[in-house]
Amino acid sequence: MSTSCTPTSQECPAATLTSGAQLTVGFPATDQTERRFPITPEAASELTSAGCRLVMQEGAAASIQYSDSAYARAGGAIASRTEALSADIVVSLALPEPDDVAQMRRHSALLTLSTVFTPGGTLTKGSRASLQALLNRSITVVALDLIEDDHGNHPFADILAEVDGRAAIAIAASLLANPQLGKGILLGGVPGILPCETAIIGSSHAARAAARAASGLGSIVRIFDNDTFALRHALHSLGPWAIGSVLHRRTVETAVHSADIIILAERLPAFHSEYRHAMKRGVVLIDLTGDSCTDCRVCHAAEPEAPSADRVFVNPGNAVPRTAAMAISNALVGLCQTTRGLSGFTGALRLPPYISKAVLGYRGRIVNEDLATAAGTRCTDLSLFISMS
């Protein structure tokens, strides 16, 4: 959290909050569990130039070290939380509490992440209550991480995964080098000294980003995946320095036994229980899935603790919130250009097909199959609304 003085709304005169036809986009503050903020002042300037009216909660961007005055200069309105939540479109990477949802306008839109409802792949009691509150107010819920472009890429999910992968290695390297928390060792790169070893489970965007970062610091990198096509793609993109294999138990056990860093980029709920016995003392275990180490102590990567085989670090992107904010902002500006100023989100039926796939809830109904399954309810096909419009 920034220790600098954050100007108040009186010190940062911004656009007056008035009603009108101009689309308003609200950015409420989040708590310490979600430090990533979805927009930078530079991106705010782009959105205001595109015709959007930004309503920022006072002090909302303190976690990424930006003051209210920076957003005011970009054309944003510095306001209360209530005013930010009552915008036409609310952008929040954290789960909105039912009390927050009560302050949102009916038939408005929420841009968030699918993982806020199903952290670790399950619907929690809190997320169920928030989801029901959103449906009751007929708020269109769109998951930014599920948005595809017309080439099948996921602009938000891919860049956030890359930030997570690179941040995971930076955090692990810092913990290993810390003589109080870790062993006081470098990952590698010193002649005559064996480098540390990194074992990565999975070959996704996050896994490849972690592999590149670890190799760049001199670590020996081993990457595992049962999807041989994805593994081949990963090894071709990473080059000859990465060692790849399918998840043969004996091979993985050998790698885990000598690994100083273990990155879990694929959801394997039984991984920790199966391989805990093979992990060395002081290993840095980072779970990018949030669901592979349910039987050990969960620590936030942004709050360093002494590493051990019974301690797993999660949410590495939260440790570098400003980098994540810049990445999200770039994707958000691109999305604004794609959807003609974001106005399409106020009526999901006007969205391009590849973006409408990211809609989770519409007109009080769950329209995403995975979310409906997690909630134990029936999924309504969004195309039915289109056919009736």
Side-chain angles (χ1 to χ4, degrees):
M1 186 70 68
S2 171
T3 57
S4 62
C5 178
T6 301
T8 65
S9 55
Q10 286 76 24
E11 295 169 321
C12 307
T16 305
L17 295 175
T18 57
S19 59
Q22 189 178 25
L23 182 77
T24 58
V25 184
F27 293 89
T30 58
D31 58 26
Q32 285 296 304
T33 60
E34 179 54 83
R35 301 183 181 184
R36 298 171 300 178
F37 193 67
I39 193 167
T40 61
E42 293 81 6
S45 179
E46 292 285 340
L47 294 186
T48 54
S49 297
C52 296
R53 185 166 176 279
L54 272 57
V55 184
M56 305 279 303
Q57 180 181 344
E58 184 178 352
S63 63
I64 59 171
Q65 307 296 317
Y66 281 119
S67 67
D68 291 341
S69 58
Y71 291 93
R73 288 193 297 269
I78 311 304
S80 66
R81 183 173 186 82
T82 298
E83 289 169 303
L85 288 168
S86 61
D88 299 312
I89 297 174
V90 175
V91 186
S92 176
L93 303 184
L95 178 70
E97 298 291 336
D99 288 345
D100 287 335
V101 176
Q103 299 181 67
M104 297 176 65
R105 292 197 307 103
R106 293 184 63 85
H107 305 293
S108 60
L110 170 69
L111 305 189
T112 186
L113 301 175
S114 64
T115 50
V116 304
F117 296 106
T118 54
T122 59
L123 196 68
T124 65
K125 182 179 180 180
S127 59
R128 187 182 296 274
S130 294
L131 176 61
Q132 189 59 56
L134 290 163
L135 296 175
N136 289 344
R137 295 189 68 78
S138 294
I139 293 171
T140 300
V141 183
V142 181
L144 294 171
D145 52 319
L146 299 184
I147 290 176
E148 292 184 6
D149 62 19
D150 51 6
H151 301 292
N153 302 309
H154 296 80
F156 288 92
D158 292 349
I159 192 62
L160 288 177
E162 186 150 353
V163 170
D164 280 348
R166 290 186 176 275
I169 297 300
I171 291 163
S174 176
L175 288 173
L176 287 176
N178 189 312
Q180 281 77 42
L181 298 179
K183 299 177 180 179
I185 58 175
L186 292 173
L187 274 186
V190 180
I193 301 176
L194 286 175
C196 292
E197 298 186 18
T198 301
I200 301 174
I201 309 301
S203 55
S204 61
H205 276 280
R208 297 196 297 273
R212 291 191 187 93
S215 176
L217 292 174
S219 176
I220 295 172
V221 177
R222 293 184 173 87
I223 187 166
F224 300 88
D225 200 327
N226 275 335
D227 186 337
T228 54
F229 292 99
L231 183 62
R232 183 182 299 117
H233 172 71
L235 294 176
H236 284 173
S237 67
L238 294 171
W241 48 263
I243 305 167
S245 171
V246 295
L247 287 161
H248 288 308
R249 181 176 178 83
R250 183 173 296 180
T251 304
V252 175
E253 192 172 272
T254 300
V256 166
H257 179 71
S258 59
D260 299 279
I261 301 171
I262 300 175
I263 305 294
L264 302 175
E266 179 180 329
R267 186 168 283 122
L268 294 174
F271 180 88
H272 185 260
S273 58
E274 288 185 15
Y275 296 103
R276 164 66 184 87
H277 69 281
M279 297 180 191
K280 65 166 60 174
R281 178 176 171 271
V283 64
V284 181
L285 181 60
I286 301 182
D287 186 1
L288 304 184
T289 72
D291 192 37
S292 296
C293 297
T294 56
D295 54 346
C296 60
R297 180 180 170 185
V298 175
C299 305
H300 291 284
E303 301 169 0
E305 296 188 36
S308 75
D310 292 314
R311 184 170 291 167
V312 60
F313 295 92
V314 297
N315 301 328
N318 261 328
V320 288
R322 187 153 172 163
T323 295
M326 290 187 284
I328 297 167
S329 292
N330 291 340
L332 193 62
V333 170
L335 181 64
C336 178
Q337 296 168 348
T338 302
T339 57
R340 297 181 180 180
L342 301 179
S343 60
F345 288 106
T346 58
L349 305 185
R350 291 180 286 167
L351 292 173
Y354 54 85
I355 294 181
S356 63
K357 295 178 183 178
V359 179
L360 302 180
Y362 185 66
R363 291 186 182 176
R365 302 292 182 89
I366 297 177
V367 295
N368 175 274
E369 191 72 46
D370 292 336
L371 183 59
T373 299
T377 189
R378 176 182 292 183
C379 176
T380 301
D381 193 339
L382 185 60
S383 63
L384 293 178
F385 292 108
I386 297 176
S387 63
M388 293 186 295
S389 62

